[in-house]
Amino acid sequence: QVQLVESGGGSVQAGGSLRLSCAGSGYTSRSYCIAWFRQAPGKEREGVAAILTRNGRADFSDSVRGRFTISQDNAKNANNTVYLQMNRLQPSDTAMYYCAAVPSWELRPLAEDNYNYWGQGTQVTVSS
């Protein structure tokens, strides 16, 4: 059973940066698509970034492209830890951020239905 644990959330002022981590365990497939989603109060969950572990290909939503990057820890098993580096944060980035994963040989769209496994989330709050 895949388990995902997010960390790194917190409070930051607008223009600041945070790095979220997604530590995975229980991986059995050779490749996963691992994504970050976020959900603000009263809003639908939104996919913001995804990475394919076998080759590092990544995709981003328009709302974060150019400000967020996604990477994986290549020093260990490439499936274990994925990072979301968030720069130039804005109050509109305030949300609960979730890590999600699915066994895949290809990059998956940033939609909830594409992902099987979910973490519990980490809160990001950006103040103006």
Side-chain angles (χ1 to χ4, degrees):
Q1 179 75 5
V2 172
Q3 292 188 324
L4 304 171
V5 179
E6 303 94 335
S7 62
S11 296
V12 65
Q13 289 193 327
S17 299
L18 282 174
R19 189 178 79 160
L20 306 183
S21 299
C22 173
S25 62
Y27 289 126
T28 57
S29 294
R30 290 172 58 194
S31 179
Y32 285 79
C33 185
I34 299 175
W36 286 95
F37 286 75
R38 66 186 182 186
Q39 188 167 22
K43 295 190 176 181
E44 293 186 354
R45 193 170 292 190
E46 171 195 18
V48 298
I51 188 167
L52 188 63
T53 61
R54 69 176 178 92
N55 60 14
R57 282 190 63 204
D59 190 23
F60 299 90
S61 67
D62 290 343
S63 61
V64 307
R65 187 174 288 113
R67 298 188 298 122
F68 291 10
T69 60
I70 188 169
S71 61
Q72 58 186 344
D73 186 349
N74 289 316
K76 306 175 183 177
N77 182 333
N79 287 343
N80 277 5
T81 304
V82 168
Y83 303 101
L84 183 69
Q85 178 67 42
M86 306 185 295
N87 298 325
R88 305 200 314 270
L89 283 162
Q90 304 166 2
S92 56
D93 295 316
T94 295
M96 184 72 77
Y97 282 72
Y98 299 90
C99 179
V102 60
S104 182
W105 209 244
E106 301 297 334
L107 205 57
R108 295 289 190 98
L110 290 168
E112 288 186 72
D113 291 349
N114 287 292
Y115 296 85
N116 298 4
Y117 304 103
W118 292 82
Q120 294 301 306
T122 185
Q123 178 67 38
V124 172
T125 303
V126 184
S127 58
S128 57

